[in-house]
Amino acid sequence: MEFVATCLFGLEKFVGEEIDALGYKRLSTIDGRVTFEGPVEAIAVCNIHLRTAERIFIKLGSFFVGGEDAFDRLFEGTRALPFEQFIGPDDSFPVTGHSVKSRLTSIPACQGVVQKAIAKRLEQVYHKNWFAGGNLTYPVEFFILNDECTLMIDTTGQALHKRGYRPASNAAPLRETLAAALCKIARPREDVLFWDPMCGSGTIAIEAALLMTNTAPGLKRSFAAEKYPLLPASVWKDVREEAKAAIRSDTAFEAYGSDIDPECVSLSYHNARRAGVEGKIKFFQKDALTIGTGGRRGTIVCNPPYGERLMTPAECEALYRKMGKHFATLDSWQIYVLTANENFERLYGRRADKVRKLYNGMLRCGYYQFFKPQNERK
C-alpha cells in the first residue's frame, strides 16, 4: 500500500528518516509531505511511532486535473478510484482538501465535486443511491498541486502532535511534533544536561525525554483507523505492546525545565506525569537570565516569546539582548533558540553557527544553533 505522511514545512527530512528507521520505503518527498509504501500494518506502526509527522493517509491515487475541463477531470479521476475497498454502504466520507498552483482554486467547489464523484462510484458498487452515513466515518482529503490531484483517506483522526499529555497549555504552545524536531537537531545525550529555561508547558523537555527513553509518542492515544475493519484490533495491540517493551527506563538522560512563571512550572510537571517521563525531568521556577552551569556540560533548547502572543516586540528584543549577554557566560554550553524574529542574531550579539528554517504553524522561524565555543569562533 502507498501512504502519505504530512508534516510542518521544514520537517520532511525528519519524517523521512523516521520512516526509513521503521523499515518502510520512501517514494517521494515534497514540501509538507512524504510518500512511502509498506504493508497495511504500517498504519498502526507509523501512527504510534512517528514523532515529527502530523497525519498518516492511505493514498488512493493521483491524476491530472488541468485544462478547460478541470472539474470534469476531477470528477472522473475521483470516480475511477476504488473507494469501495474502504468505504462501506452505510459509512460517511466527509471531504476536505487543499489546492496549490492550480486553476481549481475554489476549495468548496472541489469538495462538492469529489464528494459527488465518490457517491457516484459507491452507488454503482452497492446499488443504492442514498448514503445515510450512520456507521463509520472515513475522512477523505484531496491535495492538488500543479494540477495533479491526489486523493487520500485519513487514518489518524486528531493530528499526531496531539499526544494526549497536554490537555492544557500556556498562551503560546509549541506543537509537540516541532518540539521533537528541535530536540533531534540538538542531539540530546545521556552525559549532557538538557535544559529548557523558558519551558512554558514543558513540551521541549518532555519530547526530549520521550526521545531518549525511546517512548513511542502515540502510545497513549487512539486513532481514527482503529475503527476501520481493514486492520484487526490485534495488530494495534501488538504494536503497542512492542512499543512498551522497547522503552528504555534505564537511561541516564536528565533534563531541566524552568520558567519564571510558577504556573508554567506546575503545568509542565503535570504534563510530564501524563507523558510518563516525570522521573527524567526536574521542573522548577527560575529566571532564564540567572541560570548557571553548576560545573556541568549542558545544552539549552528554548522557544522564547516572538512578540506575537507573549510580550511586545520591543520587550522581546530587549529579552534577546539580555539572553545573548547571559548565555555567553555558560562556558561551552550549546545553545539552540527558535524564534520568528529575523534580527535575532544582531540582537543576541552573536552569529549562529547554523540556522535552520522551520515553521511554527504558519509562522516562518529560524532555529539558531550555537554549538562552537565563542573563543574558538574568534
Side-chain angles (χ1 to χ4, degrees):
M1 296 180 72
E2 286 193 24
F3 303 97
V4 176
T6 59
C7 62
L8 294 173
F9 291 158
L11 302 191
E12 300 85 1
K13 172 182 181 292
F14 305 102
V15 174
E17 289 174 347
E18 291 174 21
I19 289 170
D20 293 343
L22 292 174
Y24 305 130
K25 182 182 178 182
R26 272 191 273 177
L27 300 177
S28 64
T29 302
I30 61 174
D31 287 349
R33 55 194 61 217
V34 178
T35 302
F36 65 101
E37 63 180 11
V40 66
E41 292 79 13
I43 294 172
V45 174
C46 290
N47 273 301
I48 289 172
H49 283 279
L50 293 185
R51 297 183 188 279
T52 53
E54 289 294 321
R55 291 182 183 278
I56 308 299
F57 292 93
I58 298 169
K59 181 181 175 181
L60 293 174
S62 298
F63 49 88
F64 181 68
V65 293
E68 295 295 328
D69 56 346
F71 280 113
D72 290 338
R73 288 177 182 270
L74 179 61
F75 183 90
E76 295 301 333
T78 301
R79 189 171 66 167
L81 296 177
F83 286 93
E84 69 277 3
Q85 292 183 6
F86 305 95
I87 303 174
D90 298 314
D91 298 335
S92 59
F93 43 92
V95 176
T96 57
H98 307 275
S99 181
V100 181
K101 298 179 182 177
S102 171
R103 67 186 300 148
L104 295 177
T105 57
S106 173
I107 300 303
C110 290
Q111 285 176 285
V113 170
V114 169
Q115 196 145 37
K116 288 178 183 177
I118 297 172
K120 191 67 175 178
R121 170 86 185 197
L122 297 179
E123 285 173 12
Q124 293 171 341
V125 172
Y126 295 122
H127 307 292
K128 60 178 291 187
N129 57 11
W130 173 252
F131 293 87
N135 194 20
L136 298 177
T137 299
Y138 289 85
V140 174
E141 181 162 319
F142 63 85
F143 178 64
I144 304 173
L145 175 64
N146 295 323
D147 290 328
E148 182 80 8
C149 178
T150 299
L151 281 165
M152 308 169 291
I153 291 177
D154 181 25
T155 71
T156 300
Q158 271 200 326
L160 291 176
H161 72 265
K162 299 283 188 179
R163 315 287 207 216
Y165 65 72
R166 201 175 72 176
S169 59
N170 62 333
L174 184 72
R175 281 196 189 186
E176 293 87 331
T177 45
L178 178 55
L182 301 185
C183 295
K184 286 191 169 193
I185 295 170
R187 292 183 294 180
R189 288 155 287 175
E190 289 193 340
D191 59 342
V192 177
L193 177 64
F194 185 99
W195 194 342
D196 179 1
M198 305 175 188
C199 68
S201 53
T203 310
I204 292 175
I206 292 170
E207 289 297 322
L210 291 174
L211 177 64
M212 293 300 289
T213 56
N214 197 38
T215 302
L219 195 53
K220 295 186 176 183
R221 54 158 289 179
S222 60
F223 305 94
E226 291 189 66
K227 297 179 180 178
Y228 301 169
L230 82 160
L231 203 58
S234 60
V235 172
W236 292 94
K237 180 181 178 181
D238 290 345
V239 173
R240 285 193 170 94
E241 289 300 323
E242 290 173 5
K244 289 177 184 177
I247 294 174
R248 290 187 55 208
S249 58
D250 60 342
T251 178
F253 171 77
E254 183 183 12
Y256 285 177
S258 58
D259 201 285
I260 198 170
D261 185 346
E263 291 187 5
C264 287
V265 174
S266 175
L267 177 62
S268 296
Y269 172 73
H270 289 293
N271 288 342
R273 281 194 66 182
R274 279 184 284 268
V277 293
E278 73 277 14
K280 298 299 177 184
I281 312 171
K282 180 181 179 181
F283 290 106
F284 51 92
Q285 183 182 3
K286 193 171 184 65
D287 186 337
L289 302 178
T290 65
I291 66 174
T293 66
R296 300 182 62 176
R297 296 173 62 202
T299 296
I300 287 178
V301 179
C302 63
N303 176 44
Y306 308 162
E308 296 285 332
R309 286 175 287 182
L310 295 176
M311 294 188 168
T312 65
E315 288 172 333
C316 286
E317 290 185 357
L319 172 63
Y320 298 157
R321 290 189 180 96
K322 293 175 182 177
M323 284 171 56
K325 290 179 180 178
H326 182 69
F327 287 0
T329 68
L330 301 178
D331 299 334
S332 59
W333 278 32
Q334 296 183 352
I335 313 292
Y336 296 80
V337 182
L338 181 74
T339 178
N341 191 308
E342 295 181 355
N343 296 316
F344 176 75
E345 288 171 298
R346 178 179 61 79
L347 296 165
Y348 190 79
R350 179 181 171 188
R351 185 176 294 278
D353 297 303
K354 188 173 182 179
V355 182
R356 182 184 286 271
K357 295 302 178 185
L358 297 173
Y359 281 80
N360 188 354
M362 296 305 295
L363 195 61
R364 190 169 187 264
C365 296
Y367 191 35
Y368 297 88
Q369 305 166 50
F370 306 90
F371 42 76
K372 294 179 182 178
Q374 281 189 285
N375 57 358
E376 181 180 319
R377 287 180 54 84
K378 291 177 182 178

